[in-house]
Amino acid sequence: MTPAVVRARKGGEPLVCLTAYTTPMARIVDAHADVILVGDSLGMVVHGLPSTLGVTLDMMILHGRAVMRARPRALVVVDLPFGAYEAGPAQAFAAAARVMAETGCAAVKLEGGVAMAETVAFLVARGIPVMAHVGLMPQQVNAIGGYRVQGRGADAERVLADAQAVVAAGAFAVVLEKVAEPLARRITEAAPVPTIGIGASAACDGQILVVDDMLGIFSEFRPSFVRRYAELGAMAEAAVAAYAADVRTRAFPGPEHVFADT
């Protein structure tokens, strides 16, 4: 998969997108996904941060390398973290170039619409494929007043303008996060590039979820737009409890788990 192939999927079979942050998870996801996002959500689901704002460029590169070691077939996109690109196109290019050179990924993702259109165009003109992200932008959570739905009522024109701006700037795909369904459908129908929904519309050209949410591993909170396809966190807790009980009762290790002297 390449950015060009993803772009060409507009209007076709929906794109399957998931996050991954480690080599083992990347291998599992890659068997089924078209796009693997090394998202800055890793700050919360892997590192225990209260939001994505504390994620650094070094953290993104570390996890990007881990995902690329899986030798994925899917397109790997790495998030640019908060503070790594907002100062201007030159800063964004330096960050994106470092991410691509040090991880081997094929594209980067950044949040922002009209305000980031110039930066998107700057990167694309210099050979860096960009996946855009509009609607709810977690890196701006303090400015927008929380994780609320975007694009309702009069707010629809703002979100629409953001999507149009990054598409015109050359983004090969646009993530629509927590955007009211009618607007997400409207953007998808008008955009010449794929839209990837997360809490948006089934009409989007693809869908993405945080893999730890979808598998029931991350339990700090549960977004309403997430469908749990498994409850691996509960299964892991039960397994650890069983192990602890076996150790305390000397049921583990058993004879089959130790070695004789001959």
Side-chain angles (χ1 to χ4, degrees):
M1 294 294 288
T2 66
V5 172
V6 168
R7 181 179 181 128
R9 288 275 292 273
K10 173 68 184 180
E13 182 181 48
L15 292 156
V16 177
C17 312
L18 278 170
T19 65
Y21 318 110
T22 65
T23 306
M25 187 59 76
R27 289 187 178 125
I28 293 170
V29 170
D30 187 56
H32 306 280
D34 302 303
V35 176
I36 296 174
L37 173 66
V38 185
D40 59 0
S41 49
L42 64 85
M44 302 172 74
V45 301
V46 177
H47 293 277
L49 297 176
S51 72
T52 64
L53 300 182
V55 176
T56 67
L57 196 61
D58 285 341
M59 290 166 69
M60 297 308 307
I61 290 171
L62 175 70
H63 288 277
R65 285 172 170 169
V67 168
M68 290 302 296
R69 288 190 189 104
R71 300 180 181 274
R73 172 202 60 84
L75 173 68
V76 175
V77 181
V78 176
D79 264 340
L80 296 184
F82 178 72
Y85 63 94
E86 294 90 342
Q91 183 202 30
F93 178 79
R98 187 181 165 206
V99 165
M100 294 184 71
E102 295 186 31
T103 69
C105 74
V108 298
K109 181 171 77 65
L110 57 81
E111 296 181 9
V114 172
M116 286 293 122
E118 180 185 358
T119 294
V120 172
F122 189 91
L123 296 181
V124 171
R126 286 155 181 80
I128 296 178
V130 176
M131 177 179 285
H133 183 146
V134 302
L136 175 63
M137 294 175 276
Q139 293 177 8
Q140 298 181 23
V141 64
N142 291 328
I144 63 178
Y147 298 95
R148 57 186 178 83
V149 177
Q150 306 290 300
R152 283 176 168 162
D155 188 47
E157 293 307 312
R158 176 189 62 83
V159 177
L160 176 61
D162 278 344
Q164 291 173 332
V166 292
V167 169
F172 69 88
V174 184
V175 172
L176 305 179
E177 180 166 358
K178 212 166 183 180
V179 172
E181 200 280 342
L183 177 61
R185 183 179 294 272
R186 179 182 170 193
I187 291 172
T188 299
E189 290 172 351
V193 302
T195 59
I196 299 172
I198 176 168
S201 171
C204 290
D205 298 294
Q207 301 293 329
I208 188 166
L209 286 176
V210 172
V211 71
D212 298 72
D213 288 340
M214 185 267 286
L215 293 176
I217 298 171
F218 183 68
S219 58
E220 294 301 312
F221 63 88
R222 182 173 179 171
S224 61
F225 54 76
V226 171
R227 176 183 292 180
R228 288 282 178 87
Y229 284 82
E231 293 291 348
L232 298 191
M235 292 175 63
E237 185 174 359
V240 171
Y243 164 74
D246 283 352
V247 169
R248 291 183 177 120
T249 59
R250 300 189 187 278
F252 177 83
E256 69 274 25
H257 304 121
V258 295
F259 304 94
D261 62 357
T262 58

